[in-house]
Amino acid sequence: MAKVIVMTSGKGGVGKTTSTAAIGTGLAMRGEKTVVVDFDVGLRNLDLIMGCERRVVYDFVNVVNGEAKLGQALIKDKRFDNLYVLAASQTRDKDALSKEGVVKVIDQLREQFDYVICDSPAGIEKGAQLAMYCADEAIIVTNPEVSSVRDSDRILGLLASKTLRSEKDLEPVKQHLLLTRYDVGRVARGEMLKVDDILEILSIPLVGVIPESEAVLRASNTGNPVILDSENPAGKAYADAVSRLLGHQVEHRFPSEQPRGFFARLFGRAA
Amino acid sequence: MVLRLVDPSRPDFAQQIVEKVGQAPGFYRDAPIVLDLETLARWPAPPTVDFAGIRAALASVGLVCVGVQNGTPQLTEGARRIGLAVFPTIRPAGRANAAREPDAEPEPERPAARPSAAASAPSPQAAAPSPPVAPVKAAPPPRTRVVSEPVRSGQQVYAKGGDLIVLGTVNAGGEVLADGNVHIYGTLRGKAIAGAAGDREARLFCQRFDPELVSIAGLFRVADQIGPELVGQRVGVRIVDDALAFDRLS
Ligand SMILES: Nc1ncnc2c1ncn2[C@@H]1O[C@H](COP(=O)(O)OP(=O)(O)O)[C@@H](O)[C@H]1O
Ligand SMILES: [Mg+2]
């Protein structure tokens, strides 16, 4: 049974697209047939990070509007043959997608893939709501700062009311918290929020903590999702997050600056 | 209200609850129930309790099972797993507290255990804390709304005509309102409004106090007007002499 996962945050620039590319690639590396879908119409970023921007002919908007067949718009990854990209359009505006059209295309993708990862645009308006509409699960991408946590909380509220699952009274969208750009030094100095504090506010299970790392920008610039770098802490943290998404128990490996009992509390919370 | 479990291993256990409650149909409609595990916790080998079954039995007679109290970790684990709240151990209200707030009954009273019965149903007196004002005759019993999910930024929950119980937190940007009392078992970081229709006897209780705004019957205070000594505390709010009064609850 295919799973549709939305990567969402409310706030912009927190790492949704980076995480979509990394986790999508990671799932494919584990043998799951995966497609990453760019809902950020007008910006078109995901294809860049995935390193396939020079091969985009048709995009998601074309398929939703019936101007191209799904098969024509799916771009196969050069590294993994079970990984595909559905790019956004740079030339259309935000309102180019219709809800009915999106539902139809996502249903088609469900038939072909194990995982459909939807990269949401920022905000809480139509674009973000469309990206989450079909989701079975949601990864809430959050930075350790008050405004990002607040926006994530807002998005969690929308997930409970603006999705197909909520409308049909099905089991609610399963929620995962992904903390990104986590800078241990700044957290220790009190400039950023601690993991515990964020968990206390959002009260959803933690799927991963991605450290701030220069490797992320380098990876993006070369179109190689950071998860391919198995030596890098951010790459490793994404690999762990993928394991947890797949249902494996993986300890949160984490820098030593945290007090004792930290892991125990993390697991205690992740009910 | 509180239902004390005495011997859930008896096969007719659920039936007994249904019968007890069935004796006063309507009275308990939609009432939130907390299961007290104190008696079971004293068993030499604590029994496994079919919490899902108990919840279903209670639901069949219109009761909402919200959580458990006074259990051992072993006992409460099963309750936690099916999403029941595990309330901190509750002691009967101390005298000092009672003296300061003679008519306050933030904690539901618990009936005495009846060893002969598998479950002791709460008596009506225990279930209904004496209302501060005499109820209008023939008024429908007030409804209590129970919210088990966190109230998040942008969300609003309103208990019209009755009390509101929030089992989790009310986050910044979230808002809870009730025509009656508001009870919050998590942290209040957002707005909470009791007596929304003007009832000046309404009160607000919360386990951890850090609100953006609190209001009773139109009187309100915003975060800046609330003393920092109250932040993070268990706090009750009520109206005394035309002003909001804040009590730290021990
Ligand atoms: N773990 C990280 N360490 C350092 N920089 C990061 C990390 N994650 C994301 N970034 C950077 O943050 C910026 C925003 O990331 P992006 O994935 O585009 O966010 P969004 O899609 O949420 O707008 C990019 O410049 C990206 O390289
Ligand atoms: Mg993006």
Side-chain angles (χ1 to χ4, degrees):
Chain A
M1 188 60 194
K3 272 190 191 153
V4 177
I5 303 182
V6 62
M7 199 70 69
T8 185
S9 69
K11 194 171 160 70
V14 294
K16 289 180 294 295
T17 301
T18 304
S19 301
T20 301
I23 289 175
T25 303
L27 287 166
M29 290 163 78
R30 307 290 178 89
E32 306 288 343
K33 193 171 179 202
T34 301
V35 58
V36 291
V37 183
D38 193 347
F39 273 78
D40 205 348
V41 177
L43 284 177
R44 206 186 117 182
N45 261 327
L46 185 59
D47 52 334
L48 270 171
I49 314 278
M50 293 295 293
C52 66
E53 77 280 6
R54 295 154 68 88
R55 292 189 286 137
V56 177
V57 181
Y58 294 108
D59 56 47
F60 186 37
V61 177
N62 294 137
V63 183
V64 167
N65 292 345
E67 297 150 6
K69 293 224 173 66
L70 183 57
Q72 293 174 298
L74 282 170
I75 304 167
K76 191 173 182 167
D77 185 79
K78 280 191 172 151
R79 295 155 292 220
F80 303 99
D81 61 11
N82 58 348
L83 178 59
Y84 289 78
V85 179
L86 199 46
S89 168
Q90 227 160 2
T91 51
R92 303 296 186 89
D93 67 28
K94 298 202 295 296
D95 297 325
L97 296 174
S98 72
K99 192 189 256 185
E100 298 69 35
V102 167
V103 172
K104 222 171 106 190
V105 175
I106 297 289
D107 278 345
Q108 271 177 282
L109 291 172
R110 275 183 196 276
E111 285 166 19
Q112 300 180 30
F113 291 92
D114 300 320
Y115 282 90
V116 180
I117 317 283
C118 304
D119 182 18
S120 175
I124 55 170
E125 305 303 325
K126 188 182 168 206
Q129 293 189 17
L130 266 182
M132 70 171 62
Y133 188 65
C134 298
D136 304 308
E137 301 190 13
I139 298 177
I140 316 298
V141 185
T142 305
N143 291 168
E145 47 171 285
V146 174
S147 63
S148 175
V149 172
R150 182 79 67 96
D151 285 3
S152 295
D153 193 51
R154 185 87 167 85
I155 283 287
L156 286 165
L158 293 182
L159 282 168
S161 60
K162 302 279 185 195
T163 57
L164 207 60
R165 280 182 173 269
S166 63
E167 283 176 10
K168 290 196 171 167
D169 230 356
L170 298 171
E171 199 164 309
V173 175
K174 190 171 175 191
Q175 302 156 345
H176 309 273
L177 178 64
L178 183 68
L179 289 179
T180 54
R181 311 205 65 167
Y182 197 81
D183 185 329
V184 185
R186 296 190 63 185
V187 171
R189 290 196 296 278
E191 295 165 19
M192 288 185 142
L193 296 174
K194 291 202 293 278
V195 176
D196 272 8
D197 296 339
I198 299 167
L199 285 174
E200 208 264 319
I201 294 171
L202 296 179
S203 46
I204 60 171
L206 184 67
V207 75
V209 181
I210 315 298
E212 173 81 16
S213 163
E214 283 175 17
V216 171
L217 190 59
R218 272 201 310 277
S220 301
N221 284 336
T222 57
N224 291 303
V226 70
I227 199 168
L228 295 169
D229 185 351
S230 57
E231 297 302 306
N232 178 268
K236 282 186 200 167
Y238 273 120
D240 284 353
V242 169
S243 298
R244 293 187 197 103
L245 270 183
L246 289 170
H248 304 298
Q249 292 276 348
V250 184
E251 268 211 35
H252 285 271
R253 56 175 134 194
F254 212 65
S256 53
E257 269 141 279
Q258 291 294 335
R260 255 173 214 290
F262 172 74
F263 295 122
R265 268 178 288 144
L266 280 188
F267 285 114
R269 205 71 65 89
Chain B
M1 55 197 183
V2 175
L3 186 68
R4 178 176 292 209
L5 297 189
V6 181
D7 187 357
S9 62
R10 284 180 52 158
D12 58 345
F13 175 73
Q15 189 51 41
Q16 292 226 3
I17 295 179
V18 173
E19 274 168 20
K20 288 273 180 211
V21 175
Q23 289 163 6
F27 186 85
Y28 301 110
R29 177 143 286 284
D30 289 336
I33 297 287
V34 175
L35 303 174
D36 189 298
L37 307 178
E38 194 182 58
T39 308
L40 301 186
R42 282 195 255 109
W43 285 29
T48 41
V49 181
D50 174 17
F51 288 109
I54 293 174
R55 179 164 63 183
L58 290 172
S60 75
V61 290
L63 298 176
V64 188
C65 184
V66 296
V68 299
Q69 67 181 30
N70 294 337
T72 59
Q74 200 189 343
L75 274 169
T76 54
E77 174 54 28
R80 196 188 293 278
R81 217 177 303 125
I82 65 160
L84 293 177
V86 178
F87 294 110
T89 300
I90 293 170
R91 280 160 281 105
R95 266 182 223 298
N97 201 13
R100 210 175 76 220
E101 296 189 58
D103 60 347
E105 286 196 40
E107 319 292 16
E109 241 170 54
R110 53 164 92 121
R114 271 178 249 162
S116 61
S120 57
S123 62
Q125 298 95 294
S130 51
V133 287
V136 185
K137 245 186 223 150
R143 295 195 159 243
T144 297
R145 183 158 174 201
V146 179
V147 176
S148 53
E149 297 294 311
V151 178
R152 302 190 180 278
S153 175
Q155 292 182 325
Q156 190 190 59
V157 179
Y158 177 28
K160 194 171 162 50
D163 287 2
L164 178 65
I165 297 180
V166 181
L167 300 178
T169 62
V170 178
N171 277 344
E175 191 172 307
V176 292
L177 306 91
D179 288 344
N181 306 304
V182 174
H183 304 256
I184 299 165
Y185 286 95
T187 305
L188 170 61
R189 295 193 190 84
K191 301 187 177 72
I193 293 147
D199 179 3
R200 297 169 66 87
E201 303 294 332
R203 291 174 173 225
L204 203 151
F205 301 99
C206 89
Q207 211 48 246
R208 268 186 73 189
F209 195 67
D210 190 8
E212 290 176 326
L213 174 145
V214 288
S215 167
I216 298 175
L219 296 175
F220 70 90
R221 292 237 201 131
V222 294
D224 272 1
Q225 303 166 313
I226 293 169
E229 71 281 359
L230 291 171
V231 172
Q233 305 294 318
R234 278 182 74 196
V235 168
V237 188
R238 56 188 169 138
I239 294 183
V240 177
D241 296 337
D242 268 346
L244 292 184
F246 296 79
D247 301 301
R248 272 174 69 165
L249 311 170
S250 47

